[in-house]
Amino acid sequence: MKRALQLTLGVLTAVGGFVDIGDIVASGTIGARYGLRLTWVLVVGVIFICAFAEMSGRVVAVTGRPVFDLIRERLGPHAALLNLCGSFLVTLLTLAAQIGGIALVIELATGLDHLLWVLPVVIGLWVVVWHIGFQRMEQGFGLAGLSIVVFAVAVWWLDPDWSALTHQVTHPTPPTTEPVPTYLFSAVTLFAAAMTPYEVFFFSSGGVEEKWTPASLGIQRTNVLLGFPLGGLLSLGIAAAAATTLLPMGVDVQTLGQVALPIAIAFGLAGTLVALFAFFATTVGAALETGLSCGYMVAQYFGWSWGKSRPPVRAARFHLTVAVSLLIAYAIVQLGLDPIRITEYSLVFAAVALPLTYLPVLIVANDREYLGAHVNGRLGNAVGLTGLVVVLIVAVAAIPLMIMTGMGA
């Protein structure tokens, strides 16, 4: 049991990274619009995030230091500052989306406007960050987030036309009624959702919190190979549920409630309650990830004491950064901006910022001064360089496709 609980870091990172409020709605929207024709994007994203997460985890296990700390030392303060600004702003915007998403889930459950819940949500998140230890947090929210598997169960229960779903997976071209640029924009946002920068920073910082050593290399790799593919499969389950029920009905998914329709069709009220709990657990986990990642990035760049393993009084600036990030995110949501729209923009900006995150990780993972014999091998570099090329293509294409398609409308 103890060994199994050591794997919850990968589960929390992957569930929070793959199944946050934006991914939930994006998967539902894409499934209802394209079926499973974009599964290939999810597969590619899982492969590349596994490669870079393994690099960042290996760096932590060998050096005992998080990747962002070494990026500043290896590339210098100016290059690392550019990395910090890009990643921090995207993560902050994502944090605002998660807070708004939690409030939307509560609105679905209570019928009260989500803006009434934003402040209580922020206070609740801060209480968790302040009082709950890292391991208890990762185990609790990581395991609770697995309840999103209800979508995959619903697909099986509804007994769809499996040959039709298989045909969609194996024929990854847009329907004749859908414009190619819109299809490509959906592919870009889905890839960016799989590769969001905070996943790497949270995972490597979590490795430090867990006190990984070279003896932990097996644990960190198992976390990667279990957690991230699992997150991808859970996201695919949401898309498959939408493809099974909403695509034939011609439903244009715009809201969180519409994403839950397949569960209501399959299991009625009881299933809907499970879906709401799953939405709540995954968005809270993602909010904690992004909030802590804001603190991790800033504290590691400036060399401050940081981490949940330290009492708040000994890591005051780290905790203050998390608190300020939560307040800024609160202000963004309280302006009345649609949390789903915030997430869509955050994914576009994440796509643009991807090279700033993953090129430095690849450089550090090949530095023998830090890793010695544990530097990347040929396979790791082949996958990493291929991923970097794809990341650059996505970064260049994101803004033009956003403008051309009107945010995928």
PDB file of all heavy atoms in Angstrom, residues 66-95:
ATOM      1  N   PRO A  66      15.093  21.105  -8.212  1.00  0.00           N
ATOM      2  CA  PRO A  66      14.066  21.158  -9.255  1.00  0.00           C
ATOM      3  C   PRO A  66      14.621  21.710 -10.561  1.00  0.00           C
ATOM      4  O   PRO A  66      15.634  22.424 -10.580  1.00  0.00           O
ATOM      5  CB  PRO A  66      13.006  22.093  -8.666  1.00  0.00           C
ATOM      6  CG  PRO A  66      13.782  22.987  -7.751  1.00  0.00           C
ATOM      7  CD  PRO A  66      14.873  22.123  -7.166  1.00  0.00           C
ATOM      8  N   VAL A  67      13.940  21.413 -11.645  1.00  0.00           N
ATOM      9  CA  VAL A  67      14.414  21.806 -12.968  1.00  0.00           C
ATOM     10  C   VAL A  67      14.551  23.311 -13.097  1.00  0.00           C
ATOM     11  O   VAL A  67      15.535  23.805 -13.651  1.00  0.00           O
ATOM     12  CB  VAL A  67      13.463  21.261 -14.056  1.00  0.00           C
ATOM     13  CG1 VAL A  67      13.803  21.844 -15.417  1.00  0.00           C
ATOM     14  CG2 VAL A  67      13.548  19.750 -14.116  1.00  0.00           C
ATOM     15  N   PHE A  68      13.574  24.075 -12.591  1.00  0.00           N
ATOM     16  CA  PHE A  68      13.612  25.525 -12.777  1.00  0.00           C
ATOM     17  C   PHE A  68      14.820  26.139 -12.097  1.00  0.00           C
ATOM     18  O   PHE A  68      15.421  27.093 -12.596  1.00  0.00           O
ATOM     19  CB  PHE A  68      12.325  26.160 -12.237  1.00  0.00           C
ATOM     20  CG  PHE A  68      12.045  27.510 -12.829  1.00  0.00           C
ATOM     21  CD1 PHE A  68      11.274  27.622 -13.968  1.00  0.00           C
ATOM     22  CD2 PHE A  68      12.573  28.661 -12.279  1.00  0.00           C
ATOM     23  CE1 PHE A  68      11.032  28.868 -14.543  1.00  0.00           C
ATOM     24  CE2 PHE A  68      12.336  29.899 -12.828  1.00  0.00           C
ATOM     25  CZ  PHE A  68      11.563  30.006 -13.975  1.00  0.00           C
ATOM     26  N   ASP A  69      15.198  25.585 -10.968  1.00  0.00           N
ATOM     27  CA  ASP A  69      16.391  26.056 -10.248  1.00  0.00           C
ATOM     28  C   ASP A  69      17.641  25.882 -11.119  1.00  0.00           C
ATOM     29  O   ASP A  69      18.474  26.786 -11.248  1.00  0.00           O
ATOM     30  CB  ASP A  69      16.514  25.268  -8.952  1.00  0.00           C
ATOM     31  CG  ASP A  69      17.637  25.794  -8.065  1.00  0.00           C
ATOM     32  OD1 ASP A  69      18.131  26.894  -8.326  1.00  0.00           O
ATOM     33  OD2 ASP A  69      18.005  25.090  -7.113  1.00  0.00           O
ATOM     34  N   LEU A  70      17.755  24.724 -11.758  1.00  0.00           N
ATOM     35  CA  LEU A  70      18.917  24.449 -12.598  1.00  0.00           C
ATOM     36  C   LEU A  70      18.876  25.232 -13.912  1.00  0.00           C
ATOM     37  O   LEU A  70      19.926  25.581 -14.466  1.00  0.00           O
ATOM     38  CB  LEU A  70      19.001  22.953 -12.895  1.00  0.00           C
ATOM     39  CG  LEU A  70      19.238  22.048 -11.678  1.00  0.00           C
ATOM     40  CD1 LEU A  70      19.376  20.598 -12.109  1.00  0.00           C
ATOM     41  CD2 LEU A  70      20.496  22.482 -10.930  1.00  0.00           C
ATOM     42  N   ILE A  71      17.678  25.504 -14.432  1.00  0.00           N
ATOM     43  CA  ILE A  71      17.571  26.293 -15.658  1.00  0.00           C
ATOM     44  C   ILE A  71      18.181  27.674 -15.443  1.00  0.00           C
ATOM     45  O   ILE A  71      18.916  28.183 -16.294  1.00  0.00           O
ATOM     46  CB  ILE A  71      16.088  26.417 -16.090  1.00  0.00           C
ATOM     47  CG1 ILE A  71      15.601  25.082 -16.656  1.00  0.00           C
ATOM     48  CG2 ILE A  71      15.904  27.526 -17.129  1.00  0.00           C
ATOM     49  CD1 ILE A  71      14.121  25.060 -16.975  1.00  0.00           C
ATOM     50  N   ARG A  72      17.891  28.292 -14.303  1.00  0.00           N
ATOM     51  CA  ARG A  72      18.455  29.610 -14.013  1.00  0.00           C
ATOM     52  C   ARG A  72      19.972  29.540 -13.914  1.00  0.00           C
ATOM     53  O   ARG A  72      20.685  30.404 -14.424  1.00  0.00           O
ATOM     54  CB  ARG A  72      17.874  30.163 -12.714  1.00  0.00           C
ATOM     55  CG  ARG A  72      18.303  31.599 -12.410  1.00  0.00           C
ATOM     56  CD  ARG A  72      17.766  32.060 -11.056  1.00  0.00           C
ATOM     57  NE  ARG A  72      17.959  33.469 -10.854  1.00  0.00           N
ATOM     58  CZ  ARG A  72      19.105  34.050 -10.511  1.00  0.00           C
ATOM     59  NH1 ARG A  72      20.184  33.299 -10.339  1.00  0.00           N
ATOM     60  NH2 ARG A  72      19.192  35.352 -10.356  1.00  0.00           N
ATOM     61  N   GLU A  73      20.471  28.516 -13.253  1.00  0.00           N
ATOM     62  CA  GLU A  73      21.916  28.367 -13.085  1.00  0.00           C
ATOM     63  C   GLU A  73      22.594  28.036 -14.409  1.00  0.00           C
ATOM     64  O   GLU A  73      23.675  28.538 -14.704  1.00  0.00           O
ATOM     65  CB  GLU A  73      22.185  27.270 -12.062  1.00  0.00           C
ATOM     66  CG  GLU A  73      23.650  27.082 -11.709  1.00  0.00           C
ATOM     67  CD  GLU A  73      23.820  26.083 -10.582  1.00  0.00           C
ATOM     68  OE1 GLU A  73      23.494  26.440  -9.431  1.00  0.00           O
ATOM     69  OE2 GLU A  73      24.267  24.947 -10.848  1.00  0.00           O
ATOM     70  N   ARG A  74      21.953  27.182 -15.217  1.00  0.00           N
ATOM     71  CA  ARG A  74      22.566  26.719 -16.472  1.00  0.00           C
ATOM     72  C   ARG A  74      22.494  27.757 -17.582  1.00  0.00           C
ATOM     73  O   ARG A  74      23.465  27.960 -18.321  1.00  0.00           O
ATOM     74  CB  ARG A  74      21.848  25.433 -16.924  1.00  0.00           C
ATOM     75  CG  ARG A  74      22.344  24.852 -18.244  1.00  0.00           C
ATOM     76  CD  ARG A  74      23.771  24.374 -18.150  1.00  0.00           C
ATOM     77  NE  ARG A  74      24.188  23.687 -19.355  1.00  0.00           N
ATOM     78  CZ  ARG A  74      24.545  24.285 -20.498  1.00  0.00           C
ATOM     79  NH1 ARG A  74      24.517  25.613 -20.564  1.00  0.00           N
ATOM     80  NH2 ARG A  74      24.922  23.586 -21.534  1.00  0.00           N
ATOM     81  N   LEU A  75      21.350  28.451 -17.708  1.00  0.00           N
ATOM     82  CA  LEU A  75      21.155  29.387 -18.817  1.00  0.00           C
ATOM     83  C   LEU A  75      21.393  30.843 -18.448  1.00  0.00           C
ATOM     84  O   LEU A  75      21.454  31.700 -19.323  1.00  0.00           O
ATOM     85  CB  LEU A  75      19.738  29.234 -19.389  1.00  0.00           C
ATOM     86  CG  LEU A  75      19.345  27.841 -19.879  1.00  0.00           C
ATOM     87  CD1 LEU A  75      17.943  27.874 -20.460  1.00  0.00           C
ATOM     88  CD2 LEU A  75      20.343  27.337 -20.922  1.00  0.00           C
ATOM     89  N   GLY A  76      21.501  31.113 -17.151  1.00  0.00           N
ATOM     90  CA  GLY A  76      21.694  32.496 -16.724  1.00  0.00           C
ATOM     91  C   GLY A  76      20.380  33.154 -16.351  1.00  0.00           C
ATOM     92  O   GLY A  76      19.305  32.726 -16.786  1.00  0.00           O
ATOM     93  N   PRO A  77      20.434  34.235 -15.559  1.00  0.00           N
ATOM     94  CA  PRO A  77      19.209  34.860 -15.044  1.00  0.00           C
ATOM     95  C   PRO A  77      18.333  35.483 -16.120  1.00  0.00           C
ATOM     96  O   PRO A  77      17.115  35.501 -15.994  1.00  0.00           O
ATOM     97  CB  PRO A  77      19.726  35.917 -14.063  1.00  0.00           C
ATOM     98  CG  PRO A  77      21.155  36.163 -14.484  1.00  0.00           C
ATOM     99  CD  PRO A  77      21.646  34.870 -15.031  1.00  0.00           C
ATOM    100  N   HIS A  78      18.938  36.005 -17.204  1.00  0.00           N
ATOM    101  CA  HIS A  78      18.133  36.688 -18.221  1.00  0.00           C
ATOM    102  C   HIS A  78      17.292  35.708 -19.022  1.00  0.00           C
ATOM    103  O   HIS A  78      16.083  35.916 -19.218  1.00  0.00           O
ATOM    104  CB  HIS A  78      19.037  37.506 -19.145  1.00  0.00           C
ATOM    105  CG  HIS A  78      19.778  38.611 -18.443  1.00  0.00           C
ATOM    106  ND1 HIS A  78      19.126  39.659 -17.826  1.00  0.00           N
ATOM    107  CD2 HIS A  78      21.112  38.813 -18.237  1.00  0.00           C
ATOM    108  CE1 HIS A  78      20.022  40.473 -17.273  1.00  0.00           C
ATOM    109  NE2 HIS A  78      21.230  39.975 -17.506  1.00  0.00           N
ATOM    110  N   ALA A  79      17.907  34.633 -19.496  1.00  0.00           N
ATOM    111  CA  ALA A  79      17.144  33.622 -20.241  1.00  0.00           C
ATOM    112  C   ALA A  79      16.113  32.956 -19.344  1.00  0.00           C
ATOM    113  O   ALA A  79      14.977  32.689 -19.764  1.00  0.00           O
ATOM    114  CB  ALA A  79      18.101  32.575 -20.817  1.00  0.00           C
ATOM    115  N   ALA A  80      16.496  32.685 -18.086  1.00  0.00           N
ATOM    116  CA  ALA A  80      15.561  32.057 -17.159  1.00  0.00           C
ATOM    117  C   ALA A  80      14.405  32.991 -16.818  1.00  0.00           C
ATOM    118  O   ALA A  80      13.285  32.539 -16.571  1.00  0.00           O
ATOM    119  CB  ALA A  80      16.288  31.634 -15.879  1.00  0.00           C
ATOM    120  N   LEU A  81      14.660  34.314 -16.818  1.00  0.00           N
ATOM    121  CA  LEU A  81      13.592  35.277 -16.540  1.00  0.00           C
ATOM    122  C   LEU A  81      12.538  35.239 -17.640  1.00  0.00           C
ATOM    123  O   LEU A  81      11.334  35.338 -17.368  1.00  0.00           O
ATOM    124  CB  LEU A  81      14.170  36.683 -16.405  1.00  0.00           C
ATOM    125  CG  LEU A  81      13.155  37.789 -16.072  1.00  0.00           C
ATOM    126  CD1 LEU A  81      12.487  37.504 -14.725  1.00  0.00           C
ATOM    127  CD2 LEU A  81      13.852  39.153 -16.063  1.00  0.00           C
ATOM    128  N   LEU A  82      12.977  35.096 -18.883  1.00  0.00           N
ATOM    129  CA  LEU A  82      12.030  34.974 -19.996  1.00  0.00           C
ATOM    130  C   LEU A  82      11.176  33.726 -19.822  1.00  0.00           C
ATOM    131  O   LEU A  82       9.953  33.750 -20.020  1.00  0.00           O
ATOM    132  CB  LEU A  82      12.793  34.916 -21.320  1.00  0.00           C
ATOM    133  CG  LEU A  82      11.955  34.813 -22.598  1.00  0.00           C
ATOM    134  CD1 LEU A  82      11.085  36.059 -22.760  1.00  0.00           C
ATOM    135  CD2 LEU A  82      12.868  34.643 -23.820  1.00  0.00           C
ATOM    136  N   ASN A  83      11.824  32.635 -19.441  1.00  0.00           N
ATOM    137  CA  ASN A  83      11.106  31.388 -19.164  1.00  0.00           C
ATOM    138  C   ASN A  83      10.110  31.583 -18.030  1.00  0.00           C
ATOM    139  O   ASN A  83       8.952  31.144 -18.111  1.00  0.00           O
ATOM    140  CB  ASN A  83      12.132  30.306 -18.814  1.00  0.00           C
ATOM    141  CG  ASN A  83      11.492  28.969 -18.481  1.00  0.00           C
ATOM    142  OD1 ASN A  83      10.892  28.820 -17.436  1.00  0.00           O
ATOM    143  ND2 ASN A  83      11.641  28.005 -19.371  1.00  0.00           N
ATOM    144  N   LEU A  84      10.547  32.261 -16.978  1.00  0.00           N
ATOM    145  CA  LEU A  84       9.689  32.498 -15.819  1.00  0.00           C
ATOM    146  C   LEU A  84       8.458  33.314 -16.190  1.00  0.00           C
ATOM    147  O   LEU A  84       7.325  32.947 -15.842  1.00  0.00           O
ATOM    148  CB  LEU A  84      10.479  33.223 -14.719  1.00  0.00           C
ATOM    149  CG  LEU A  84       9.665  33.733 -13.525  1.00  0.00           C
ATOM    150  CD1 LEU A  84       9.082  32.578 -12.739  1.00  0.00           C
ATOM    151  CD2 LEU A  84      10.536  34.610 -12.617  1.00  0.00           C
ATOM    152  N   CYS A  85       8.667  34.419 -16.919  1.00  0.00           N
ATOM    153  CA  CYS A  85       7.552  35.305 -17.253  1.00  0.00           C
ATOM    154  C   CYS A  85       6.506  34.575 -18.099  1.00  0.00           C
ATOM    155  O   CYS A  85       5.298  34.648 -17.820  1.00  0.00           O
ATOM    156  CB  CYS A  85       8.064  36.542 -17.995  1.00  0.00           C
ATOM    157  SG  CYS A  85       9.032  37.649 -16.955  1.00  0.00           S
ATOM    158  N   GLY A  86       6.967  33.867 -19.141  1.00  0.00           N
ATOM    159  CA  GLY A  86       6.035  33.162 -20.004  1.00  0.00           C
ATOM    160  C   GLY A  86       5.256  32.091 -19.264  1.00  0.00           C
ATOM    161  O   GLY A  86       4.021  32.028 -19.334  1.00  0.00           O
ATOM    162  N   SER A  87       5.980  31.260 -18.511  1.00  0.00           N
ATOM    163  CA  SER A  87       5.334  30.158 -17.805  1.00  0.00           C
ATOM    164  C   SER A  87       4.437  30.653 -16.675  1.00  0.00           C
ATOM    165  O   SER A  87       3.344  30.122 -16.455  1.00  0.00           O
ATOM    166  CB  SER A  87       6.392  29.199 -17.250  1.00  0.00           C
ATOM    167  OG  SER A  87       7.164  28.649 -18.286  1.00  0.00           O
ATOM    168  N   PHE A  88       4.878  31.682 -15.955  1.00  0.00           N
ATOM    169  CA  PHE A  88       4.109  32.192 -14.819  1.00  0.00           C
ATOM    170  C   PHE A  88       2.783  32.794 -15.278  1.00  0.00           C
ATOM    171  O   PHE A  88       1.730  32.533 -14.689  1.00  0.00           O
ATOM    172  CB  PHE A  88       4.911  33.228 -14.040  1.00  0.00           C
ATOM    173  CG  PHE A  88       4.177  33.786 -12.850  1.00  0.00           C
ATOM    174  CD1 PHE A  88       4.138  33.095 -11.652  1.00  0.00           C
ATOM    175  CD2 PHE A  88       3.506  35.000 -12.943  1.00  0.00           C
ATOM    176  CE1 PHE A  88       3.433  33.598 -10.550  1.00  0.00           C
ATOM    177  CE2 PHE A  88       2.809  35.516 -11.856  1.00  0.00           C
ATOM    178  CZ  PHE A  88       2.776  34.811 -10.661  1.00  0.00           C
ATOM    179  N   LEU A  89       2.822  33.611 -16.335  1.00  0.00           N
ATOM    180  CA  LEU A  89       1.597  34.261 -16.795  1.00  0.00           C
ATOM    181  C   LEU A  89       0.582  33.237 -17.295  1.00  0.00           C
ATOM    182  O   LEU A  89      -0.622  33.354 -17.026  1.00  0.00           O
ATOM    183  CB  LEU A  89       1.926  35.278 -17.890  1.00  0.00           C
ATOM    184  CG  LEU A  89       2.708  36.521 -17.420  1.00  0.00           C
ATOM    185  CD1 LEU A  89       3.090  37.395 -18.604  1.00  0.00           C
ATOM    186  CD2 LEU A  89       1.889  37.318 -16.407  1.00  0.00           C
ATOM    187  N   VAL A  90       1.061  32.231 -18.027  1.00  0.00           N
ATOM    188  CA  VAL A  90       0.160  31.182 -18.503  1.00  0.00           C
ATOM    189  C   VAL A  90      -0.422  30.407 -17.322  1.00  0.00           C
ATOM    190  O   VAL A  90      -1.622  30.105 -17.283  1.00  0.00           O
ATOM    191  CB  VAL A  90       0.893  30.230 -19.464  1.00  0.00           C
ATOM    192  CG1 VAL A  90       0.060  28.981 -19.748  1.00  0.00           C
ATOM    193  CG2 VAL A  90       1.222  30.937 -20.769  1.00  0.00           C
ATOM    194  N   THR A  91       0.418  30.094 -16.343  1.00  0.00           N
ATOM    195  CA  THR A  91      -0.053  29.338 -15.177  1.00  0.00           C
ATOM    196  C   THR A  91      -1.033  30.148 -14.349  1.00  0.00           C
ATOM    197  O   THR A  91      -2.032  29.621 -13.846  1.00  0.00           O
ATOM    198  CB  THR A  91       1.144  28.902 -14.317  1.00  0.00           C
ATOM    199  OG1 THR A  91       2.049  28.136 -15.116  1.00  0.00           O
ATOM    200  CG2 THR A  91       0.699  28.056 -13.137  1.00  0.00           C
ATOM    201  N   LEU A  92      -0.776  31.455 -14.230  1.00  0.00           N
ATOM    202  CA  LEU A  92      -1.690  32.322 -13.484  1.00  0.00           C
ATOM    203  C   LEU A  92      -3.057  32.378 -14.164  1.00  0.00           C
ATOM    204  O   LEU A  92      -4.103  32.314 -13.499  1.00  0.00           O
ATOM    205  CB  LEU A  92      -1.095  33.724 -13.376  1.00  0.00           C
ATOM    206  CG  LEU A  92      -1.877  34.740 -12.536  1.00  0.00           C
ATOM    207  CD1 LEU A  92      -1.957  34.282 -11.084  1.00  0.00           C
ATOM    208  CD2 LEU A  92      -1.219  36.113 -12.629  1.00  0.00           C
ATOM    209  N   LEU A  93      -3.061  32.485 -15.489  1.00  0.00           N
ATOM    210  CA  LEU A  93      -4.321  32.504 -16.228  1.00  0.00           C
ATOM    211  C   LEU A  93      -5.053  31.168 -16.078  1.00  0.00           C
ATOM    212  O   LEU A  93      -6.281  31.120 -15.926  1.00  0.00           O
ATOM    213  CB  LEU A  93      -4.037  32.792 -17.707  1.00  0.00           C
ATOM    214  CG  LEU A  93      -5.209  33.265 -18.574  1.00  0.00           C
ATOM    215  CD1 LEU A  93      -5.806  34.551 -18.014  1.00  0.00           C
ATOM    216  CD2 LEU A  93      -4.741  33.488 -20.008  1.00  0.00           C
ATOM    217  N   THR A  94      -4.283  30.080 -16.076  1.00  0.00           N
ATOM    218  CA  THR A  94      -4.880  28.758 -15.882  1.00  0.00           C
ATOM    219  C   THR A  94      -5.459  28.620 -14.475  1.00  0.00           C
ATOM    220  O   THR A  94      -6.524  28.014 -14.284  1.00  0.00           O
ATOM    221  CB  THR A  94      -3.835  27.656 -16.126  1.00  0.00           C
ATOM    222  OG1 THR A  94      -3.228  27.857 -17.408  1.00  0.00           O
ATOM    223  CG2 THR A  94      -4.470  26.272 -16.090  1.00  0.00           C
ATOM    224  N   LEU A  95      -4.772  29.185 -13.485  1.00  0.00           N
ATOM    225  CA  LEU A  95      -5.278  29.169 -12.114  1.00  0.00           C
ATOM    226  C   LEU A  95      -6.629  29.880 -12.034  1.00  0.00           C
ATOM    227  O   LEU A  95      -7.563  29.390 -11.374  1.00  0.00           O
ATOM    228  CB  LEU A  95      -4.269  29.846 -11.182  1.00  0.00           C
ATOM    229  CG  LEU A  95      -4.709  30.067  -9.727  1.00  0.00           C
ATOM    230  CD1 LEU A  95      -5.034  28.748  -9.048  1.00  0.00           C
ATOM    231  CD2 LEU A  95      -3.621  30.824  -8.954  1.00  0.00           C
TER     232      LEU A  95
END
